[in-house]
Amino acid sequence: MAEAKRRKRGGGGAARRAERQAVSFETARFIERNIPNIEILDEAALELIESNADLLLEEIGVEFANNPGALARWRDAGANVVGERVHIPRGLARKLCETAPKTFTQHARNPERSVEIGGRNLVLAPVYGPPFVHDMEKGRRYGTIEDFRNFVKLGYMSKWLHHSGGTVCEPVDLPVNKRHLDMLHAHMTLSDKPFMGSVTEPSRAQDSVEMCEILFGKEFVANNVVMTSLININSPLVFDDVMMGSLEVYAKAGQACIISPFIVSGAMSPVSIAGTLTQVMAEVLAGIAYSQLIRPGAPVIMGAFVASVAMNSGAPTFGTPEASLITYGAGQLARRLGLPYRSAGSFCGSKLPDAQAAYETANTLQGGLMAGVNFMLHSCGWLDGGATSSYEKFVMDADQLGVLHRLAQGISTDENAQALDAFREVGPGGHFFGCAHTQANYKDAFWQSEVLDYRNFESWEDAGSPDTMRLAHERVKKMLATYQQPMLDPAISDALGAYIAEKKAATPDSSM
């Protein structure tokens, strides 16, 4: 019913003409796994980690800083509150988490691009949060709103990417207190994929909700999920008032939040895998339980962002086996809670999209698929430990996401896949290039990169011997040159512009 009302509300001659003339780029449907998840922890290990997480919550507790309202809610729920420390009795947080939905739909303004989060699905979203950007012509520099818009365009045009993401880079040329308006506007107008809201201050989360009410309609937003937003926990065991304030806004509005520890093992958690998993479990239990105190049934995603640390330098490391093991284990814990799971991404510590970046990224992307991740933030574009959004790596990673789609399909054994007719036609000593089975299936038989080079050496050399970074750079330029904006009802576009103008005029610029 709400969907029908949304479609009707946007009607108008100009909107219908724009829709007829609109160009839409192909986007693959979110991944539905036909392969098993990796299960590395046995029942005894899982029960031990869960029991120890309950012990942490009860004995050590978690801190809700500068948030008297949160402390009051926890006290009313039965927790023991001492100062800003909340000691949660064994089993209480898990009981509160039971009202969170196992799956939910995040609606896009183009209904064909809506995504199902949870179950055996995997939704891929781009890099989030870097203050710097990099390309091979201009090098590394602070991000601008022009860069931000470019990344949104690239995300919209990327076939294997299902989600527009959030802060794909930080536009530092705009005031801190107003840049969220321009970022949301870019996601809403330059793409028609789902997107994320602002969490840098509760009032900005409220602005996000109100802008969505303009884009989708108030009634639709009241009854449907149209945003997924990232709520990080200050590991170890601290829930700050800014993030919790944003969570409160979104939970009250029925919008989804990823509730995620931000852990560098060895610095922000113990060096052991079991100890880190215990901390992850305790923190997400407390955060998700709090979302349900705000609004039972509020949609959430259990997050686990974990890197390790180089013990000789203190720098975070990525693509390591320990991080993969934690990702696998946290996936099992999420499934036991019955909640969607966020983890993994195109993580790397390299400063360029080079061999280090490729190795580390491949390890984390494929590990995320095998771990049963449902929402993968940072799936393309991540460079330099998350400090930089790379144009070239964005398209390289976005291309490789097609591999995850293909792996997730598994192996078909239907009549066509058995290929018995091909064996009968070709016989011993023949070849399969021209047989009927090959002719009928060749277009879809093998996944093929649109970035990597498959030419023979002589052809590649004649073309100037381009490396992968050069090929990706040329693809970036081609994509941006051929971008065409998706249709949006002019009345909605005007209303968004007016809202932003009014908000910007109401307060002076601020760097906070």
Side-chain angles (χ1 to χ4, degrees), residues 2-3 6 100-111 113-117 163 193-197 208-209 212-213 215-229 250-258 295 297-301 340 375:
E3 178 67 35
R6 179 173 69 133
K102 296 181 183 300
T103 63
F104 62 89
T105 300
Q106 184 184 350
H107 294 270
R109 69 176 178 91
N110 177 351
R113 306 205 197 283
S114 297
V115 293
E116 304 288 335
I117 299 176
H163 202 282
K193 294 181 179 181
F195 55 86
M196 302 174 73
S208 303
V209 173
C212 281
E213 290 174 344
L215 183 66
F216 291 93
K218 282 190 175 183
E219 183 179 350
F220 191 83
V221 172
N223 293 290
N224 296 277
V225 178
V226 298
M227 275 186 295
T228 299
S229 300
Y250 287 125
K252 287 176 185 176
Q255 300 306 305
C257 286
I258 305 164
R295 175 172 169 168
V300 293
I301 301 171
F375 189 92

Side-chain angles (χ1 to χ4, degrees), residues 419-464:
L420 294 179
D421 287 346
F423 289 113
R424 295 183 179 111
E425 179 182 344
V426 173
H431 69 75
F432 291 83
F433 281 119
C435 78
H437 184 269
T438 299
Q439 294 299 310
N441 290 280
Y442 77 94
K443 289 183 179 179
D444 302 316
F446 307 119
W447 178 84
Q448 183 167 313
S449 168
E450 294 184 348
V451 176
L452 304 183
D453 195 306
Y454 297 116
R455 293 172 289 189
N456 61 37
F457 181 88
E458 290 75 19
S459 298
W460 169 78
E461 189 175 43
D462 289 344

Side-chain angles (χ1 to χ4, degrees), residues 45-313:
L46 289 164
E47 290 180 355
L48 178 66
I49 290 167
E50 290 172 337
S51 177
N52 286 346
D54 280 339
L55 184 148
L56 285 187
L57 293 177
E58 185 171 47
E59 179 182 319
I60 298 171
V62 295
E63 183 175 308
F64 277 76
N66 303 312
N67 195 336
L71 300 176
R73 290 185 184 96
W74 275 116
R75 191 178 290 109
D76 291 343
N80 178 27
V81 179
V82 181
E84 293 188 329
R85 187 81 62 91
V86 177
H87 297 267
I88 304 172
R90 183 175 291 269
L92 175 59
R94 188 177 301 275
K95 181 66 176 177
L96 291 169
C97 290
E98 291 177 359
T99 57
K102 296 181 183 300
T103 63
F104 62 89
T105 300
Q106 184 184 350
H107 294 270
R109 69 176 178 91
N110 177 351
E112 294 181 0
R113 306 205 197 283
S114 297
V115 293
E116 304 288 335
I117 299 176
R120 297 195 58 77
N121 303 327
L122 172 56
V123 174
L124 301 168
V127 63
Y128 182 107
F132 298 102
V133 299
H134 180 276
D135 68 68
M136 65 179 299
E137 287 185 353
K138 299 178 182 178
R140 186 176 187 258
R141 61 197 185 277
Y142 281 109
T144 67
I145 191 60
E146 180 183 4
D147 291 310
F148 187 97
R149 290 167 179 153
N150 284 340
F151 281 117
V152 172
K153 293 174 183 179
L154 292 173
Y156 170 58
M157 299 174 74
S158 296
K159 177 180 178 180
W160 306 112
L161 195 64
H162 316 117
H163 202 282
S164 193
T167 308
V168 286
C169 71
E170 195 72 48
V172 300
D173 56 333
L174 298 180
V176 171
N177 64 327
K178 299 178 182 180
R179 64 180 62 156
H180 67 287
L181 300 167
D182 294 276
M183 291 191 285
L184 281 163
H185 186 259
H187 284 301
M188 291 177 172
T189 60
L190 302 180
S191 174
D192 60 5
K193 294 181 179 181
F195 55 86
M196 302 174 73
S198 176
V199 295
T200 54
E201 208 276 332
S203 67
R204 297 167 201 166
Q206 186 60 43
D207 289 344
S208 303
V209 173
E210 291 172 5
M211 288 179 70
C212 281
E213 290 174 344
I214 295 171
L215 183 66
F216 291 93
K218 282 190 175 183
E219 183 179 350
F220 191 83
V221 172
N223 293 290
N224 296 277
V225 178
V226 298
M227 275 186 295
T228 299
S229 300
L230 177 61
I231 304 297
N232 277 133
I233 298 159
N234 286 351
S235 302
L237 304 171
V238 175
F239 296 75
D240 71 74
D241 58 321
V242 173
M243 282 287 171
M244 289 303 102
S246 295
L247 171 63
E248 290 161 10
V249 170
Y250 287 125
K252 287 176 185 176
Q255 300 306 305
C257 286
I258 305 164
I259 299 177
S260 186
F262 188 97
I263 292 176
V264 178
S265 295
M268 300 154 72
S269 76
V271 295
S272 66
I273 292 168
T276 297
L277 283 171
T278 299
Q279 181 178 321
V280 167
M281 191 64 181
E283 291 180 346
V284 297
L285 279 172
I288 293 168
Y290 184 63
S291 75
Q292 302 307 295
L293 288 178
I294 300 298
R295 175 172 169 168
V300 293
I301 301 171
M302 171 179 158
F305 177 94
V306 177
S308 52
V309 67
M311 299 306 293
N312 60 344
S313 68

Side-chain angles (χ1 to χ4, degrees), residues 319-396:
T320 61
E322 293 80 15
S324 292
L325 291 169
I326 291 168
T327 303
Y328 296 140
Q332 289 181 260
L333 294 168
R335 289 188 288 278
R336 285 165 70 88
L337 274 178
L339 292 174
Y341 174 43
R342 171 258 165 153
S343 195
S346 62
F347 301 147
C348 68
S350 181
K351 313 308 176 282
L352 293 171
D354 56 10
Q356 177 185 344
Y359 281 127
E360 293 173 345
T361 292
N363 286 343
T364 54
L365 287 178
Q366 295 201 25
L369 175 69
M370 303 301 178
V373 169
N374 300 116
F375 189 92
M376 189 186 292
L377 194 56
H378 310 298
S379 69
C380 62
W382 170 293
L383 202 64
D384 188 19
T388 302
S389 293
S390 163
Y391 278 89
E392 288 83 13
K393 191 164 183 290
F394 191 103
V395 300
M396 291 162 63

